[in-house]
């Protein structure tokens, strides 16, 4: 291995980087900073950086759905001090094929985040309410923007009047922002949407209808993020989150001539929030059946928000038929709400929005869609200072095949 120092950070590589300053292994070992392992992987199929949480990830040559599975491969040739750093979650993989890879070395993880929300409709308003109520420990301020100026005025008034007296609880200040300032933040939250079916409109999975409408809007914001050299997180709440995340990635990384130059948003900056409510719906239905009552403790959710969702009743006692039943109930849950005469947006705004956004900022486990080899795939993960950590599991073979099928279907769409 080769050891380097750049911007007071320690870099390790299996290949030489002649432009970097070489140092000894002993000097690398003395550093208390996060260690960065340099790799070269096609940016279309790889994140710019992520947390190396076991030795099998250290010199990864390919990313994909296998990131969800525990690896039996152990790199015993690594020095003990580096193995210890990996165990402590203080080693990152850094892809030098991204032109702006050195930005990672300069990035400072916020202690309190500035969040900007775009779109104050049904979901955006409830999501804002959740962040105001729950996000005081990690959110410094919340900026709000909508094409409808009255929506901005209304939510600035309403949200700032959510308050608990005689308490030390912190409430993030909510302020209107101009469209030109939407990327002056640590986290940009996209809630704008078109194409949501009206009550009474016959619909099953309307993802593609929403995708066509939302694609145009989100692509415009992706280009603006590129123009502003946005360094924070681009969080997608609008449906279909997995496909819109991919649209953001592809659009922001094209030059004005339409060529990929990867000078826009890195794959790891983009996250989709839709799986949280699917897990919450599965929990709701599992409580009504003793055979699947342990889902919340033993089960998992994978994949998109809608068709292609994979619910596993239990990782300890996986049952195909029970999992299929619970998946079907979960996918159709929104239709059950619609039958009451109301649109299903409260649970999505909180379970897929407010809670996992706060968990992301706090470095806690949650459900969201992150980049896995060219596909934004929903799974349990968390954001550490060393990068994204995806939960790795011992999965039954039949469950692996179902997840692979969902992954491939998403890959084929876009």
């Amino acid at each position: 291995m080769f050891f380097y120092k750049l911007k007071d950070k320690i870099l390790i590589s299996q290949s030489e980087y002649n432009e970097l300053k070489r140092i000894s292994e002993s000097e690398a070992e003395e550093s208390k900073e996060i260690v960065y392992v340099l790799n070269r992987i096609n940016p279309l199929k790889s994140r710019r950086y992520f947390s190396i949480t076991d030795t099998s990830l250290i010199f990864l040559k390919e990313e994909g759905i296998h990131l969800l599975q525990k690896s039996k491969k152990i790199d015993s040739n690594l020095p003990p001090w580096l193995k210890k750093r990996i165990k402590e979650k203080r080693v990152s993989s850094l892809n030098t094929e991204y032109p702006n890879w050195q930005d990672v070395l300069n990035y400072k993880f916020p202690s309190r985040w500035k969040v900007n929300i775009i779109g104050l409709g049904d979901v955006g308003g409830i999501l804002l309410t959740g962040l105001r109520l729950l996000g005081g420990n990690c959110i410094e301020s919340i900026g709000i923007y909508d094409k409808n100026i009255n929506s901005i005025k209304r939510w600035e008034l309403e949200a700032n009047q959510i308050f608990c007296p005689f308490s030390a609880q912190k409430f993030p200040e909510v302020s209107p922002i101009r469209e030109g300032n939407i990327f002056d933040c640590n986290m940009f939250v996209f809630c704008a949407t078109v194409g949501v079916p009206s009550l009474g409109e016959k619909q099953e999975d309307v993802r593609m209808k929403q995708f066509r409408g939302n694609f145009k809007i989100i692509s415009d914001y992706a280009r603006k993020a590129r123009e502003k050299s946005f360094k924070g997180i681009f969080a997608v709440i609008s449906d279909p989150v997995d496909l819109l995340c991919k649209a953001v990635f592809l659009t922001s990384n094209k030059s004005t001539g339409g060529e990929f130059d990867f000078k826009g948003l890195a794959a790891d900056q983009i996250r989709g929030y839709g799986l949280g409510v699917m897990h919450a719906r599965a929990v709701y239905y599992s409580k009504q059946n003793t055979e699947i009552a342990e889902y919340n403790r033993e089960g998992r959710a994978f994949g998109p928000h809608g068709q292609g969702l994979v619910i596993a009743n239990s990782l300890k006692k996986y049952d195909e038929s029970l999992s299929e039943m619970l998946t079907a109930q979960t996918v159709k849950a929104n239709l059950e709400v619609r039958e009451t005469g109301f649109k299903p947006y409260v649970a999505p705004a909180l379970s897929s929005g407010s809670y996992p956004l706060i968990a992301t900022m706090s470095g806690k486990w949650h459900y969201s869609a992150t980049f896995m080899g060219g596909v934004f795939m929903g799974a349990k993960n968390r954001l550490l200072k060393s990068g994204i950590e995806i939960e790795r599991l011992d999965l039954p073979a039949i469950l692996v095949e179902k997840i692979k099928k969902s992954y491939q279907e998403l890959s084929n769409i876009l």
Side-chain angles (χ1 to χ4, degrees), residues 1-18:
M1 291 190 293
F2 299 91
F3 300 89
Y4 303 97
K5 194 169 188 178
L6 178 65
K7 300 179 181 180
D8 293 324
K9 301 296 192 298
I10 302 302
L11 313 178
I12 302 175
S13 177
Q14 283 187 315
S15 58
E16 278 195 271
Y17 285 79
N18 293 323

Side-chain angles (χ1 to χ4, degrees), residues 149-399:
I149 189 66
N150 287 327
S151 288
I152 299 176
K153 290 178 179 178
R154 177 240 177 149
W155 281 108
E156 190 274 332
L157 289 165
E158 292 267 47
N160 285 316
Q161 292 171 26
I162 298 172
F163 192 78
C164 178
F166 320 118
S167 166
Q169 182 178 347
K170 297 177 182 177
F171 295 91
E173 197 69 21
V174 178
S175 305
I177 54 174
R178 297 179 182 274
E179 189 170 20
N181 302 120
I182 56 175
F183 288 107
D184 295 340
C185 60
N186 306 115
M187 178 182 282
F188 170 88
V189 184
F190 181 83
C191 295
T193 189
V194 295
V196 178
S198 59
L199 291 171
E201 182 179 342
K202 191 178 187 325
Q203 53 96 38
E204 292 293 334
D205 184 4
V206 297
R207 289 192 307 158
M208 294 315 296
K209 179 181 177 182
Q210 288 182 282
F211 178 63
R212 286 189 290 272
N214 290 339
F215 175 85
K216 296 177 182 178
I217 305 172
I218 206 166
S219 294
D220 183 46
Y221 283 110
R223 283 185 284 268
K224 289 176 180 176
R226 174 191 171 99
E227 292 167 5
K228 292 285 187 178
S229 299
F230 181 54
K231 308 298 185 199
I233 290 176
F234 193 118
V236 180
I237 308 296
S238 303
D239 280 333
V241 300
D242 29 64
L243 300 179
L244 291 178
C245 283
K246 184 71 175 287
V248 169
F249 177 61
L250 296 177
T251 302
S252 77
N253 282 294
K254 287 182 180 179
S255 67
T256 52
E259 299 294 325
F260 283 111
D261 60 10
F262 299 102
K263 293 181 180 180
L265 294 166
D268 47 272
Q269 287 181 262
I270 307 164
R271 307 171 68 90
Y273 294 85
L275 190 57
V277 74
M278 304 311 272
H279 168 69
R281 288 167 174 169
V283 170
Y284 171 79
Y285 289 107
S286 71
K287 290 179 178 179
Q288 301 173 23
N289 186 333
T290 55
E291 289 186 297
I292 50 177
E294 297 301 312
Y295 167 75
N296 188 38
R297 291 196 308 109
E298 299 179 3
R300 288 294 187 277
F302 304 93
H305 173 81
Q307 294 300 325
L309 174 72
V310 177
I311 296 290
N313 73 300
S314 171
L315 297 177
K316 294 181 179 178
K317 302 174 183 177
Y318 179 72
D319 185 286
E320 177 74 359
S321 60
L322 291 176
S323 295
E324 290 281 359
M325 177 187 70
L326 187 54
T327 299
Q329 288 178 307
T330 302
V331 170
K332 294 177 181 177
N334 64 322
L335 301 179
E336 195 168 351
V337 176
R338 282 177 165 272
E339 288 173 1
T340 68
F342 297 92
K343 291 182 181 179
Y345 60 82
V346 176
L350 297 172
S351 296
S352 281
S354 305
Y355 275 118
L357 288 175
I358 291 170
T360 300
M361 291 180 265
S362 305
K364 295 179 180 178
W365 290 108
H366 65 280
Y367 282 112
S368 61
T370 62
F371 199 70
M372 300 187 201
V375 175
F376 283 87
M377 185 74 176
K380 181 180 174 182
N381 70 90
R382 59 180 172 176
L383 180 61
L384 306 174
K385 290 183 179 180
S386 54
I388 295 169
E389 177 183 9
I390 296 170
E391 182 187 42
R392 310 191 81 190
L393 300 162
D394 288 319
L395 300 171
I398 189 170
L399 178 57

Side-chain angles (χ1 to χ4, degrees), residues 64-94:
I65 199 64
H66 61 277
L67 293 173
L68 293 172
Q69 294 175 266
K70 273 188 179 177
S71 175
K72 295 181 173 63
K73 176 184 173 185
I74 299 175
D75 196 329
S76 57
N77 295 320
L78 296 178
W81 68 270
L82 188 54
K83 289 181 182 178
K84 182 174 182 289
R85 294 285 182 89
I86 290 172
K87 191 174 181 180
E88 294 169 346
K89 318 287 188 187
R90 293 198 294 134
V91 181
S92 297
S93 177
L94 185 50

